[in-house]
Amino acid sequence: MPTVSMTVNGKPVTGEVDSRTLLVQFLRETLRMTGTHVGCDTSQCGCCVVHIDGDAVKSCTTLALSCEGAKVTTIEGLANGDQLHPMQEAFRENHGLQCGFCTPGMIMTAVELVGRKGHNLDEKTIREELEGNLCRCTGYHNIVKAIAAGAQAMGAKA
Amino acid sequence: MSVTGIGASVRRKEDVRFVTGKGRYTDDINRPGQAHAYFLRSPHAHATINNIDLSAALKMPGVVAVYTGDDIAADKVGGLICGWMIHSKDGSPMKAGAHPALAQGKVRYVGDHVAVVIADKLSQARDAAEKIVVDYGVLPAIVDPAMAVGADAKIHDAAPDNTVYNWHLGDKAATDAAFARAAHVTRLDLVNNRLSPNAMEPRAAVGDYDEGTDGLTLYTTSQNPHVARLVLSAFIGLAPEHKFRVIAPDVGGGFGSKIFIYAEETVCVWAARKVRRPVKWTSDRTEAFLSDAHGRDHVTHAELALDAYGKILGLRAHTTANLGAYLSTFSSSVPTYLYAPLLSGQYDIPAIYAEVDAVYTNTAPVDAYRGAGRPEATFVVERLVEIAARETGKDPAAFRRQNFVTSFPHQTPVIMCYDGGDYNASLTKALEIADYANIGKRKAEAASRGKLRGIGISAYIEACGIAPSAAVGSLGAGVGLWESAEVRVNPIGTVEILTGSHSHGQGHETTFAQLVSERLGVPIDNVAIIHGDTDKVQMGMGTYGSRSGAVGMSAIVKALDKIEAKAKKVAGHCLEASPDDIEFKDGKFTVKGTDKSIDFPSVALQAYIAHKFNGQELEPGLKESAFWDPTNFTFPAGVHICELEVDPQTGVTTIVKWTAVDDFGNLINPMIVEGQVHGGIAQGVGQALFEGAVYTKDGQLVTASFMDYQMPRADNLPSYNIAITKTPCPSNPLGIKGCGEAGAIAAPPAVINALTDALGHEDIAMPASPLAVWRAARKTMAMKKAAE
Amino acid sequence: MYAFNYHKPATVAEAATLAGKHADGKLLAGGMTLLPTMKQRLASPSDIIDLSKLGDLRGIEVKDGVVTIKALTRHVTVANSAEVKKAIPALAELAGMIGDPAVRNRGTIGGSVANNDPAADYPAACLALGATIHTNKRSIPADDFFVGLFETALGEGEIITSISFPVPDKANYQKFRNPASRYAIVGVFVAKKGADVSVAVTGAGDSGVFRQKDFEAALKSNFSAAALDGKSQSAAGLNSDIHADAEYRAHLIGVMAKRAVAAAK
């Protein structure tokens, strides 16, 4: 079986995979990092979003072997020890989650969004940028609020 | 109110694990030696299974076993059940067709379970499933409920004309008499569209067998693990309850779809014992579309009778309800007792009569989905009322007000006795927030931009907190609908609450802890909420129908009352006073009129070290349990107002403002309540504008992925304006009514009333997709042209 | 997903050799269409030739009135490119409308054009702008490139290396999204260059992207939305599905074309 090596949340990892192993399977099954979720099979729900070399991507639509040498960040790699990332804190503070299943993908999408579009995000921009993330619980109201607040907090911290 | 007590918007305790990826959902669980199950599903809507050839599949790499319905039958595994008996008008019991976990001789919908392959890896199981050769004899299929009776497709031998039951409720003669003297009758044909529930976490199950104890464990995505164990033990017969543990860990949304006991978890547990290995199955989204119980799917003709002054005299409705190919766990109750008793809405209607014909079709089973019956009833009532107002030239808000129930208790003609509410208060507040008075100006402004603007009201009521066990039993329920709680106070004063309710997004770990914090004066961080494990929690009925607060928390209150009484006795011994002289406040026991006191943790310690009292007079320890069975349903009610704009060029509908004013009684955590309302509205708007499960005539599901089934996205929805009114519920100690389903119940008629207001005619069905709205808007433009 | 052999060539030549050798193989660029198709077991390539190592196939160049975008340039790069925004703003806007942010971070122009999904966006831009598709073997005018549903003029072992777009005077792309999938139900790209006007329609035709010659003729004499009044697209040959029947698509083509003309810059 082929092996793949990459850096996940700052740690080098190597594992045996099938050619058809997806990045999300490598994370969940090989590395047993189950924070990244799978909510669909057509690349639409965004529960599986992680960062590859800083870009938000759908780990269910990426071959593990394509990630050779890549730097991958997952939801487990966002907090600094016990200190939540400002976007994580904003989701909690604004009740931007209920069942929590879409939340890792939402947060990873939001963090990258701030990187691309800055700290002052209006409601329209946030709603449009969430095109690839589905939530069934919150009706998005508080997710939008959380992302706006998280973006501000990331700016204040920087 | 303390900062963490009842009424405080406490930030959720469970969130830290969810935002850091440390939640533990069923698919996150892996057992040593685990094998994977893949289900071969029927590609046909209706077919006999003439032969299944497993030989090639069994030779595939990694395959552990392949099972079919024959194996299920040989092991005498019972069929899946429907736990609510409905009797037809003629007194005959509903016609329940057999529902084996793996098909036996026949498949009845696309996605029906033909065989299961168990292999070392999921990919191997799926590869092997493709090598199974099934000889099908394709039969005629029927998917349209309105055409099911008398169709060529004969789905179950037990139901020769595809009819499950012909049920009715209300006084037909009185209702007919009301219509006979009506000055005006409003008539309406409508379809309540079929929906796919789509919790973001797909269903999953891990079956685990312990040879040493002969014990079975099932990890599963369940809203009610105890009910799952009860059904899998007592009816399906997999193992007796004392050797069967069901664990529902973190569950990623349910909306009803995870109440039910499905074939997949049944097979995983059964197969785990057969192959002597843990067996795991996780649904992919396509399987979820095919086999999770769908919601709604009613075809209804309804009529409203008015007198010359606009007072409602009567309502009658005939509904055909599609229950799919098999009766799911609670399916029979949804279009009957969860539906017709709500047809009085918020209105004083002297006579109501409803007939419901439930039918089988070659589609996925249909069961409770957020609101379950109540959205269907509300859609009937609120569309009728709106159209009646328009037809008689009355303002829809004023027409509602004219007919509101204003004194309580109010006995409707259809079972329910409304115990309290103030419907005028919610309407007044909602009209104000929505700036209803100035809608004319906004319509004119929109028209100047070529847009059609409309406003729609929905005054909904629901019956929640289901319900007194004796009452539901008399209506056919196979179970009681109480809830249990156990309060364990540890010697250092920390508290564990064991509850039969189950949280899959509702935030019980926080709200239940707020109640304990308020009552016992302990910090919420010292309170643990334990749920979702039949080995830990004695018994429970689970979470659905907005019952966790009204019923589940009431059980906790009852147990806390016992804790307080016991603790007072302990405190009495410590303070050398009679328990009757002990007051308990803010976590402190005080002898009345003195400064002698002892705090709660010290009492807890004294209860366990038992040095201060005689163990024969007072039992050591501080642990109490309680079962709460309510005396009535609860009746949350409110008014939602939707304002929207249509682009007649493209048919695109944009919601510009949403107003929600709800009366949920007392609130434990307003932040969480608002979140529930938001989510409910999104699902209701989804039903109205976006979502529809569509089958072809021959029973193929067209909407089997998010590519074809439109889920509400962030950019489809507005932010919501939420407000509350408050009339405490008289039937439970906390005055709670429940909030989980309100938005999903209120929203569809609000949207469609707004849309028809914008269009100027009633000719639009749900989901009002751009295509449908474009067609309807063409009619509008033609009408406008003709009027010019 | 079915099992396959995986290759990660380091050069275009190596990739072409592999592609020639494995007739049932597939080139993997961003994978945003191919991988979902494989996951659903609707495709079963024997070999996957992953192009992600071919760094020299990334980049954008604007020279002599032509925007050249190398094949593995991601949608996000095109959408955010200051050069593209300046030269052909409609092309940058189109790239920003593809899929969702995560898809745009991964999907490539070469992959999109080579796949020729009938609901994809780039084919409309290629056709309307008169693009040239460059491969490791030759250069193909867009008008000859898109052959039919998921079919192109690409031969075996032929790999798109770049696509060049002549800069128009004015252009705009209007997309009406499928409400569920967000692919184009109708996408209309309008471009004006000198006296020439091109109108390309994606998402609607039953054999893929096509040019709306009646609209082009009307717009040549008068490049304004009003010029399309009274012009209509026939529903014949248009797709029908639960979200849009042929009649609705035909209507939307007119609406989107007018909006594109009005917004062209």
Coordinates of all heavy atoms in Angstrom, one line a residue, chain C residues 108-164:
Chain C
T108 N -9.8 24.1 -11.1 CA -8.9 24.8 -12.0 C -9.7 25.1 -13.3 O -10.6 24.4 -13.7 CB -7.7 23.9 -12.3 OG1 -8.1 22.8 -13.1 CG2 -7.0 23.5 -11.1
I109 N -9.2 26.1 -14.0 CA -9.8 26.4 -15.3 C -9.6 25.3 -16.3 O -10.5 25.0 -17.1 CB -9.2 27.8 -15.8 CG1 -9.9 28.2 -17.1 CG2 -7.7 27.7 -16.1 CD1 -9.6 29.7 -17.5
G110 N -8.4 24.7 -16.3 CA -8.2 23.6 -17.3 C -9.1 22.4 -17.0 O -9.7 21.8 -18.0
G111 N -9.3 22.1 -15.8 CA -10.2 21.0 -15.4 C -11.6 21.2 -15.8 O -12.3 20.4 -16.4
S112 N -12.0 22.5 -15.6 CA -13.4 22.8 -15.9 C -13.6 22.8 -17.4 O -14.6 22.2 -17.9 CB -13.7 24.2 -15.4 OG -14.9 24.7 -15.9
V113 N -12.7 23.3 -18.2 CA -12.8 23.4 -19.6 C -12.7 22.0 -20.2 O -13.5 21.6 -21.1 CB -11.8 24.4 -20.2 CG1 -11.8 24.3 -21.8 CG2 -12.1 25.8 -19.8
A114 N -11.8 21.2 -19.7 CA -11.6 19.8 -20.3 C -12.8 19.0 -20.0 O -13.2 18.1 -20.8 CB -10.4 19.2 -19.7
N115 N -13.5 19.2 -18.9 CA -14.6 18.4 -18.5 C -15.9 18.7 -19.3 O -16.7 17.9 -19.6 CB -14.9 18.6 -17.0 CG -15.9 17.5 -16.5 OD1 -15.8 16.4 -16.8 ND2 -16.9 18.0 -15.7
N116 N -16.0 20.0 -19.7 CA -17.1 20.5 -20.5 C -18.5 20.0 -19.9 O -19.3 19.5 -20.6 CB -17.0 20.1 -21.9 CG -18.0 20.8 -22.8 OD1 -18.6 21.9 -22.4 ND2 -18.3 20.3 -24.0
D117 N -18.6 20.2 -18.6 CA -19.9 20.0 -18.0 C -20.9 20.9 -18.6 O -20.6 22.1 -18.7 CB -19.8 20.2 -16.5 CG -21.1 19.8 -15.7 OD1 -22.2 20.3 -16.1 OD2 -21.0 19.0 -14.8
P118 N -22.1 20.4 -19.0 CA -23.0 21.3 -19.7 C -23.5 22.5 -18.8 O -24.1 23.4 -19.3 CB -24.2 20.4 -20.1 CG -24.0 19.2 -19.2 CD -22.6 19.1 -19.0
A119 N -23.3 22.4 -17.5 CA -23.7 23.4 -16.6 C -22.5 24.2 -16.0 O -22.7 25.0 -15.1 CB -24.6 22.9 -15.4
A120 N -21.4 24.0 -16.6 CA -20.2 24.7 -16.1 C -20.2 26.1 -16.7 O -20.8 26.4 -17.7 CB -18.9 24.0 -16.5
D121 N -19.4 27.0 -16.0 CA -19.4 28.4 -16.4 C -18.3 28.8 -17.4 O -18.6 29.5 -18.4 CB -19.1 29.3 -15.1 CG -20.2 29.0 -14.1 OD1 -21.3 29.4 -14.3 OD2 -19.9 28.4 -13.0
Y122 N -17.1 28.3 -17.3 CA -16.0 28.7 -18.2 C -16.3 28.4 -19.6 O -15.9 29.2 -20.5 CB -14.7 28.0 -17.8 CG -13.9 28.7 -16.8 CD1 -13.4 28.2 -15.6 CD2 -13.5 30.1 -17.1 CE1 -12.6 28.9 -14.7 CE2 -12.7 30.8 -16.2 CZ -12.2 30.2 -15.0 OH -11.4 30.9 -14.2
P123 N -17.0 27.3 -20.0 CA -17.2 27.1 -21.5 C -17.9 28.3 -22.1 O -17.6 28.7 -23.2 CB -18.1 25.9 -21.5 CG -17.6 25.1 -20.3 CD -17.3 26.1 -19.3
A124 N -18.8 29.0 -21.4 CA -19.5 30.1 -21.9 C -18.5 31.3 -22.2 O -18.6 31.9 -23.2 CB -20.6 30.6 -21.0
A125 N -17.6 31.5 -21.3 CA -16.6 32.5 -21.4 C -15.7 32.2 -22.6 O -15.4 33.1 -23.4 CB -15.8 32.7 -20.2
C126 N -15.3 31.0 -22.7 CA -14.4 30.6 -23.8 C -15.1 30.9 -25.2 O -14.5 31.4 -26.1 CB -14.1 29.1 -23.7 SG -13.0 28.7 -22.3
L127 N -16.3 30.5 -25.2 CA -17.0 30.6 -26.5 C -17.3 32.1 -26.9 O -17.0 32.5 -28.0 CB -18.4 29.8 -26.4 CG -18.8 29.0 -27.6 CD1 -17.7 28.2 -28.2 CD2 -20.0 28.2 -27.2
A128 N -17.8 32.8 -25.9 CA -18.1 34.2 -26.1 C -16.9 35.1 -26.4 O -17.0 36.0 -27.2 CB -19.0 34.8 -25.0
L129 N -15.8 34.8 -25.7 CA -14.6 35.6 -25.9 C -13.7 35.2 -27.0 O -12.7 35.8 -27.3 CB -13.8 35.6 -24.6 CG -14.5 36.3 -23.4 CD1 -13.8 36.1 -22.1 CD2 -14.6 37.8 -23.6
G130 N -14.1 34.1 -27.7 CA -13.3 33.6 -28.8 C -11.9 33.1 -28.3 O -10.9 33.4 -28.9
A131 N -12.0 32.3 -27.2 CA -10.7 31.9 -26.6 C -10.1 30.8 -27.4 O -10.7 30.2 -28.3 CB -11.0 31.3 -25.2
T132 N -8.8 30.6 -27.2 CA -8.0 29.5 -27.8 C -7.6 28.6 -26.7 O -7.0 29.1 -25.7 CB -6.8 30.0 -28.6 OG1 -7.3 31.0 -29.6 CG2 -6.1 28.9 -29.3
I133 N -7.8 27.3 -26.9 CA -7.4 26.3 -25.9 C -6.1 25.7 -26.4 O -6.0 25.1 -27.4 CB -8.5 25.2 -25.7 CG1 -9.7 25.9 -24.9 CG2 -7.9 24.1 -24.8 CD1 -10.7 26.4 -25.8
H134 N -5.0 25.9 -25.6 CA -3.7 25.4 -25.9 C -3.5 24.1 -25.2 O -3.7 24.0 -24.0 CB -2.6 26.4 -25.6 CG -2.9 27.8 -26.1 ND1 -2.6 28.1 -27.4 CD2 -3.4 28.9 -25.5 CE1 -3.0 29.4 -27.6 NE2 -3.4 29.9 -26.5
T135 N -3.0 23.1 -26.0 CA -2.7 21.8 -25.4 C -1.2 21.5 -25.6 O -0.5 22.3 -26.2 CB -3.5 20.7 -26.0 OG1 -2.9 20.4 -27.3 CG2 -5.0 21.1 -26.1
N136 N -0.8 20.4 -25.0 CA 0.6 20.0 -25.2 C 0.9 19.7 -26.7 O 2.0 19.4 -27.1 CB 1.0 18.8 -24.4 CG 0.0 17.6 -24.6 OD1 -1.1 17.8 -25.0 ND2 0.5 16.4 -24.4
K137 N -0.2 19.6 -27.5 CA 0.0 19.2 -28.9 C -0.4 20.3 -29.9 O 0.2 20.4 -31.0 CB -0.8 18.0 -29.2 CG -0.4 16.7 -28.4 CD -1.2 15.5 -28.8 CE -0.6 14.3 -28.0 NZ -1.5 13.1 -28.1
R138 N -1.3 21.2 -29.6 CA -1.8 22.1 -30.6 C -2.6 23.2 -29.9 O -2.8 23.2 -28.7 CB -2.7 21.4 -31.6 CG -3.8 20.6 -30.9 CD -4.7 19.8 -31.8 NE -5.6 19.0 -31.1 CZ -6.8 18.6 -31.4 NH1 -7.3 19.1 -32.5 NH2 -7.5 17.9 -30.6
S139 N -3.2 24.1 -30.7 CA -4.1 25.2 -30.2 C -5.4 25.0 -30.9 O -5.5 24.8 -32.1 CB -3.5 26.5 -30.5 OG -2.3 26.7 -29.8
I140 N -6.5 25.1 -30.1 CA -7.8 24.8 -30.7 C -8.7 26.0 -30.4 O -8.9 26.4 -29.2 CB -8.4 23.5 -30.0 CG1 -7.4 22.4 -30.0 CG2 -9.7 23.1 -30.7 CD1 -7.8 21.2 -29.1
P141 N -9.3 26.5 -31.4 CA -10.3 27.6 -31.2 C -11.5 27.1 -30.4 O -11.9 25.9 -30.6 CB -10.8 28.0 -32.6 CG -9.8 27.4 -33.5 CD -9.2 26.2 -32.8
A142 N -12.0 27.9 -29.5 CA -13.1 27.5 -28.6 C -14.3 26.9 -29.4 O -15.0 26.0 -29.0 CB -13.6 28.6 -27.7
D143 N -14.6 27.6 -30.5 CA -15.7 27.2 -31.4 C -15.6 25.7 -31.8 O -16.6 25.1 -32.1 CB -15.9 28.1 -32.6 CG -16.7 29.4 -32.3 OD1 -17.6 29.3 -31.4 OD2 -16.4 30.4 -32.8
D144 N -14.3 25.3 -31.9 CA -14.1 23.9 -32.3 C -13.9 22.9 -31.2 O -13.9 21.7 -31.3 CB -12.9 23.8 -33.3 CG -13.1 24.6 -34.5 OD1 -14.2 24.8 -34.9 OD2 -12.0 25.1 -35.1
F145 N -13.8 23.5 -30.0 CA -13.3 22.7 -28.8 C -14.5 21.9 -28.2 O -14.3 20.8 -27.8 CB -12.6 23.6 -27.8 CG -12.1 22.8 -26.6 CD1 -10.8 22.2 -26.7 CD2 -12.8 22.7 -25.5 CE1 -10.3 21.5 -25.6 CE2 -12.3 22.0 -24.4 CZ -11.1 21.3 -24.5
F146 N -15.6 22.6 -28.0 CA -16.7 22.0 -27.2 C -17.6 21.2 -28.1 O -18.3 21.8 -28.9 CB -17.5 23.1 -26.4 CG -16.6 23.9 -25.5 CD1 -16.2 25.2 -25.8 CD2 -16.2 23.3 -24.3 CE1 -15.4 25.9 -24.9 CE2 -15.4 24.0 -23.4 CZ -15.0 25.3 -23.7
V147 N -17.5 19.9 -28.1 CA -18.1 19.1 -29.1 C -19.5 18.7 -28.6 O -20.4 18.6 -29.4 CB -17.2 17.8 -29.3 CG1 -17.9 16.9 -30.3 CG2 -15.9 18.3 -29.9
G148 N -19.7 18.3 -27.4 CA -21.0 17.9 -26.9 C -21.0 17.7 -25.4 O -20.0 18.2 -24.8
L149 N -22.0 17.1 -24.9 CA -22.0 16.9 -23.4 C -20.8 16.2 -22.9 O -20.5 15.1 -23.3 CB -23.2 16.1 -23.0 CG -24.6 16.6 -23.2 CD1 -25.7 15.7 -22.7 CD2 -24.7 18.0 -22.5
F150 N -20.0 16.8 -22.1 CA -18.8 16.3 -21.5 C -17.8 15.9 -22.6 O -16.9 15.1 -22.3 CB -19.1 15.1 -20.6 CG -19.9 15.4 -19.4 CD1 -21.3 15.1 -19.4 CD2 -19.4 16.1 -18.3 CE1 -22.1 15.5 -18.3 CE2 -20.2 16.4 -17.2 CZ -21.5 16.1 -17.2
E151 N -18.0 16.4 -23.8 CA -17.1 16.0 -24.9 C -16.4 17.2 -25.4 O -17.0 18.2 -25.7 CB -17.9 15.3 -26.1 CG -18.1 13.8 -25.9 CD -18.8 13.3 -27.1 OE1 -18.3 13.5 -28.2 OE2 -19.9 12.6 -26.9
T152 N -15.1 17.0 -25.7 CA -14.3 18.1 -26.3 C -13.5 17.5 -27.4 O -13.5 16.3 -27.7 CB -13.3 18.6 -25.2 OG1 -12.4 17.6 -24.9 CG2 -14.1 19.1 -24.0
A153 N -12.7 18.4 -28.1 CA -11.9 18.0 -29.2 C -10.6 17.3 -28.7 O -9.8 16.9 -29.5 CB -11.6 19.2 -30.0
L154 N -10.4 17.3 -27.4 CA -9.1 16.7 -26.8 C -9.0 15.2 -27.2 O -9.9 14.4 -27.1 CB -9.1 16.8 -25.3 CG -9.0 18.2 -24.7 CD1 -9.2 18.1 -23.2 CD2 -7.6 18.8 -25.0
G155 N -7.8 14.9 -27.7 CA -7.5 13.5 -28.1 C -6.8 12.8 -26.9 O -6.6 13.4 -25.8
E156 N -6.5 11.5 -27.2 CA -5.8 10.8 -26.1 C -4.4 11.3 -25.9 O -3.7 11.7 -26.8 CB -5.7 9.3 -26.6 CG -6.8 8.5 -26.1 CD -6.7 7.0 -26.5 OE1 -5.6 6.5 -26.6 OE2 -7.8 6.4 -26.7
G157 N -4.1 11.4 -24.6 CA -2.8 11.9 -24.2 C -2.6 13.4 -24.4 O -1.5 13.9 -24.4
E158 N -3.7 14.1 -24.7 CA -3.7 15.5 -24.9 C -4.1 16.3 -23.6 O -5.1 15.9 -23.0 CB -4.6 15.9 -26.1 CG -4.4 17.3 -26.5 CD -5.1 17.6 -27.9 OE1 -6.0 16.8 -28.3 OE2 -4.8 18.6 -28.5
I159 N -3.3 17.2 -23.2 CA -3.5 17.9 -22.0 C -3.5 19.4 -22.2 O -2.7 20.0 -22.9 CB -2.3 17.6 -21.0 CG1 -2.3 16.1 -20.7 CG2 -2.4 18.4 -19.7 CD1 -1.1 15.6 -19.9
I160 N -4.6 20.0 -21.7 CA -4.7 21.5 -21.8 C -3.5 22.1 -21.0 O -3.3 21.8 -19.8 CB -6.0 22.0 -21.3 CG1 -7.2 21.4 -22.1 CG2 -6.1 23.5 -21.3 CD1 -8.6 21.8 -21.6
T161 N -2.8 23.0 -21.6 CA -1.7 23.7 -20.9 C -2.1 25.2 -20.5 O -1.7 25.7 -19.5 CB -0.4 23.7 -21.7 OG1 -0.7 24.3 -23.0 CG2 0.1 22.3 -21.9
S162 N -2.9 25.8 -21.4 CA -3.4 27.2 -21.1 C -4.5 27.5 -21.9 O -4.8 26.8 -22.9 CB -2.2 28.2 -21.2 OG -1.9 28.3 -22.6
I163 N -5.2 28.6 -21.6 CA -6.3 29.1 -22.4 C -6.1 30.6 -22.5 O -5.8 31.3 -21.5 CB -7.6 28.8 -21.7 CG1 -7.8 27.3 -21.6 CG2 -8.8 29.4 -22.4 CD1 -8.8 26.9 -20.5
S164 N -6.2 31.1 -23.8 CA -6.0 32.5 -23.9 C -7.3 33.2 -24.4 O -8.0 32.6 -25.2 CB -4.8 32.8 -24.9 OG -5.0 32.0 -26.1

